[in-house]
């Protein structure tokens, strides 16, 4: 180390720097004065920086200031070495000083590179001025806030004094009372001057004071609110009071407890009411849980806010699934409108409603019937804000009711069927008796008529021969005896000879008519055709018209009914001929009744009653028969019930209301066809019978 310093200050081989200036006085003094002035300035700058830093410790980047000071100090020392080397050639020392200056400058430069981005973030003077203005404004606001705080403190103090609950404030250090309100004085039974400055041990028994102090310290240590119940005996009334105590630590700016706020509220009455309410709720809960009905409450929008446990037992849903949900989700879609109308009525009238019956969906997807008694929930302003009510499952009742109703319907239907069957049997028996009577009469008449009709030919021949013989006698004996001439005149022989053949012809025509009537009666009765049999439909219609011939003829004030036949080319139709003739009879009788009624009422202005009968083969399987009258027609309300059993518009005693009903059954059920009526007022009526040509296997 010593050798290094000897080498560093070795200068025997060098000449002073002044020789370079040739020791010219002016030049030498120029360098001396310049270097000395620069060195003085360089030395003064670090001193000023150090002074500035010492006075402004809040200035950032102090390290950079020190680096600048060291750099400038090294530069100043370098200028002093320039003066020194004018006479002393210690160039190694000067070089070392320059090297030190270079190291410091490089370090300073790197430090600046690192700090420049941070320095750029520093506020500008304008920003600093704005900040200063903001700070000044905040100071003003803070003073105003402090003034308001003082006002608020006074207000809070007045509020505390007016509070109905007991309020104490304790010092956090020694737990002495520093504030109390009149309610606190009343609770303790002492005035404020006897409370303030005291502790709990001065006012309460030791056991109570120990508990209070323990809870005070717990609140101050945890810095949290502590709530405890307390029972005390009032010093004046000697009554036991239940208190609710809340201890709240009041913290200072550093977050440490400074005071303890203690609020003691007398909740004796509230506890008694709460106990009574708890007992009532327990009783209510017991009733709700043990009842078979479900209780609910919901908002005005139909959102459930409460459902009793029976709701789950009744419908299978968890209570949590529907509290907060709309009741419409489980109502049958068809029952939603009446349900909404029911609730709207309650909301508008603010009155209890009962009797709503709707279907509610179970969790398994099935529906059950319920009835609901619903009451409005009314707020203090008298406005309906919701609904509450009781739900009862009436599914079994509904099922029983439906079953009874169905049984009643079935019994009523059975009764109607029995009545219909009875009357049908009577009608059939009448028709059967009529058929037997007609057949019997036809049979009894048929034999003598055939006898008469068969002998008329012989009688005609015999008389013709006798008349021929008589004529021969008159020619052969032109002059008979007087007795014969007298008899000829008495019997008017010429007239008898002329009229007798006519008489026989008339008798023959009458017998033929009787035979035709008998044939029609036999055709109509069809006693020998009770089963399905190919039948000539036209023959059945004609036989029916033959029987009704007496109603077709004119009477007093009643013209003859014109029958217009428009028969088509029909094949033999497989049918129950006797029953089909019964249908023709019923329809034609109704047509004749309608025409008679129309004539009486004067509704046929042309006074020409007509019945048109047409037949037609529709296709290979169907025929149609149309029976049309030109009467007054049938009103629509009557036409719709025309084929109902026991329905009739005729006076009592003139109709049973079964004729068309039986006809409808014969056509539709027995023959698999159709029977319909087309009519309109004053346009007559048309009955259309459509039956198959061949019946399927019966």
């Amino acid at each position: 180390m010593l050798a290094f310093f000897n080498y560093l200050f070795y200068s025997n081989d060098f000449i002073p720097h002044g020789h370079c200036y040739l020791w010219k006085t002016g030049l030498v003094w120029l360098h001396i004065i310049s270097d000395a002035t620069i060195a003085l300035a360089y030395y003064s700058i670090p001193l000023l920086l150090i002074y500035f830093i010492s006075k402004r410790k809040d200035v950032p980047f102090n390290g950079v200031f020190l680096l600048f000071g060291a750099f400038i100090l090294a530069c100043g020392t370098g200028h002093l070495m320039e003066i020194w080397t004018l006479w002393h050639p210690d160039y190694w020392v000067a070089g070392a000083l320059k090297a030190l200056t270079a190291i410091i400058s490089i370090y300073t430069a790197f430090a600046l590179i690192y700090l420049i981005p941070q320095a750029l973030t520093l506020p500008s003077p304008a920003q600093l001025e704005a900040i200063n203005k903001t700070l000044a404004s905040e100071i003003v606001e803070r003073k105003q806030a402090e003034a308001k705080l003082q006002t608020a403190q006074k207000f809070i103090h007045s509020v505390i004094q007016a509070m109905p609950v007991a309020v104490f404030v304790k010092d956090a250090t020694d737990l002495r009372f520093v504030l109390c309100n009149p309610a606190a004085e009343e609770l303790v039974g002492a005035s404020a001057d006897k409370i303030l400055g005291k502790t709990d041990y001065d006012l309460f028994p030791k056991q109570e004071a120990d508990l209070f102090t323990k809870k005070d310290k717990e609140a101050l240590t945890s810095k949290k609110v502590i709530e405890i119940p307390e029972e005390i005996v009032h010093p004046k009334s000697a009554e036991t009071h239940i208190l609710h105590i809340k201890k709240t630590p009041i913290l200072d700016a550093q977050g440490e407890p400074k005071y303890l706020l203690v609020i003691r509220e007398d909740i004796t009455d509230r506890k008694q009411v709460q106990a009574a309410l708890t007992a009532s709720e327990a009783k209510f809960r017991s009733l709700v849980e043990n009842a078979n009905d479900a209780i609910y409450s919901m908002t005005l929008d139909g959102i459930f806010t409460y459902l009793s446990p029976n709701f789950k037992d009744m419908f299978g849903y968890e209570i949590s699934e529907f509290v907060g949900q709309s009741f419409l989700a489980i109502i049958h879609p068809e029952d939603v409108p009446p349900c909404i109308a029911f609730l709207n009525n309650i909301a508008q009238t603010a009155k209890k409603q009962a009797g709503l019956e709707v279907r509610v969906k179970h969790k398994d997807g099935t529906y059950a019937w319920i009835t609901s008694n619903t009451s409005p929930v009314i707020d203090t302003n008298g406005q309906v804000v919701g609904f509450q009510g009781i739900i009862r499952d009436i599914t079994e009742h509904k099922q029983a009711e439906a079953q009874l109703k169905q049984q009643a319907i079935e019994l009523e239907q059975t009764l109607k069927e029995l009545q219909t069957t009875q009357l049908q049997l009577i009608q059939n028996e009448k028709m059967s008796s009529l058929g037997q009577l007609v057949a019997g009469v036809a049979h009894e008449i048929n034999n003598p008529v055939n006898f008469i009709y068969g002998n008329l030919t012989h009688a005609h021949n015999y008389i013709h021969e006798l008349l021929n013989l008589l004529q021969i006698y008159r020619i052969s004996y032109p002059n008979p005896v007087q007795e014969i001439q007298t008899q000829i005149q008495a019997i008017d022989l010429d007239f008898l000879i002329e009229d007798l053949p006519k008489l026989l012809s008339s008798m023959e025509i009458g017998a033929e008519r009787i035979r035709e009537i008998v044939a029609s009666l036999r055709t109509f009765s069809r006693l020998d055709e009770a089963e399905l049999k190919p039948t000539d439909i036209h023959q059945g219609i004609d036989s029916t018209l033959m029987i009704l011939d007496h109603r077709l003829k004119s009477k007093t004030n009643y013209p003859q009914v014109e029958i217009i036949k428009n028969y088509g080319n029909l094949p033999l139709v497989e049918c129950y001929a006797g029953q089909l003739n019964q249908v023709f009879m019923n329809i034609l009788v109704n047509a004749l009744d309608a025409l008679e009624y129309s004539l009486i009422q004067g509704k046929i202005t042309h006074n020409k009653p007509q019945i048109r009968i047409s037949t037609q083969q529709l296709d290979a399987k169907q025929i149609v028969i149309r029976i049309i009258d030109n009467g007054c027609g049938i009103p629509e309300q009557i036409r719709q019930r025309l084929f109902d059993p026991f329905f009739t518009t005729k006076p009592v005693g003139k109709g049973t209301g079964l004729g068309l009903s039986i006809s409808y059954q014969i056509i539709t059920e027995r023959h698999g066809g159709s029977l319909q009526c087309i009519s309109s007022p004053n346009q007559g009526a048309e009955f259309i019978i459509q039956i198959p040509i061949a019946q399927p296997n019966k």
Side-chain angles (χ1 to χ4, degrees), residues 357-404:
E357 295 183 358
V358 295
R359 286 162 287 182
V360 174
K361 188 177 183 180
H362 283 212
K363 193 167 186 178
D364 60 5
T366 60
Y367 281 93
W369 281 96
I370 62 100
T371 183
S372 175
N373 294 337
T374 306
S375 301
V377 177
I378 302 175
D379 63 8
T380 55
N381 297 322
Q383 299 295 321
V384 177
V385 295
F387 308 99
Q388 60 185 9
I390 300 175
I391 300 172
R392 176 170 295 175
D393 191 332
I394 59 169
T395 304
E396 294 182 358
H397 172 73
K398 276 287 185 180
Q399 291 174 346
E401 183 179 298
Q403 186 175 2
L404 289 174

Side-chain angles (χ1 to χ4, degrees), residues 584-650:
F584 298 150
M585 175 69 75
N586 287 329
I587 295 176
L588 287 169
V589 167
N590 276 278
L592 290 170
D593 290 342
L595 290 172
E596 183 176 350
Y597 174 79
S598 300
L599 287 169
I600 293 173
Q601 298 294 323
K603 293 184 178 181
I604 300 182
T605 57
H606 46 72
N607 205 29
K608 292 182 180 180
Q610 293 179 350
I611 295 178
R612 289 185 291 119
I613 305 173
S614 65
T615 61
Q616 179 184 2
Q617 182 175 352
L618 295 178
D619 51 37
K621 295 182 178 180
Q622 299 281 331
I623 69 162
V624 64
I625 305 165
R626 291 181 171 87
I627 300 175
I628 308 166
D629 66 70
N630 64 345
C632 59
I634 304 173
E636 180 63 21
Q637 62 270 23
I638 295 178
R639 189 192 67 80
Q640 292 179 353
R641 300 185 58 192
L642 208 55
F643 301 115
D644 292 348
F646 309 108
F647 176 76
T648 180
T649 58
K650 297 177 182 178

Side-chain angles (χ1 to χ4, degrees), residues 105-223:
S105 64
I106 291 173
Y107 188 77
T108 303
F110 277 108
L112 283 173
I113 292 172
Y114 174 73
L115 292 175
I116 283 299
Q118 300 182 38
L120 290 174
T121 61
L122 293 176
S124 65
Q127 291 174 330
L128 290 173
E129 184 179 357
I131 292 172
N132 288 334
K133 290 182 180 179
T134 303
L135 289 174
S137 176
E138 290 179 354
I139 290 171
V140 173
E141 291 178 357
R142 183 173 180 181
K143 289 181 179 179
Q144 293 175 350
E146 288 177 353
K148 292 180 180 178
L149 180 60
Q150 292 177 357
T151 304
Q153 288 176 344
K154 292 179 182 178
F155 175 73
I156 292 173
H157 184 270
S158 63
V159 171
I160 290 175
Q161 294 296 318
M163 288 180 66
V165 296
V167 178
F168 301 90
V169 178
K170 295 182 179 181
D171 188 282
T173 305
D174 53 10
L175 297 178
R176 292 185 179 276
F177 294 101
V178 297
L179 177 65
C180 65
N181 66 350
E185 297 175 17
E186 174 67 22
L187 180 66
V188 176
S191 60
D193 57 350
K194 293 182 179 180
I195 297 175
L196 300 181
K198 301 293 194 303
T199 65
D200 289 328
Y201 289 99
D202 299 322
L203 302 174
F204 302 103
K206 183 178 183 303
Q207 184 177 0
E208 293 183 9
D210 287 340
L211 176 62
F212 297 158
T213 302
K214 179 182 178 182
K215 292 297 182 180
D216 290 346
K217 291 180 179 179
E218 182 181 343
L220 293 171
T221 303
S222 64
K223 300 179 183 179

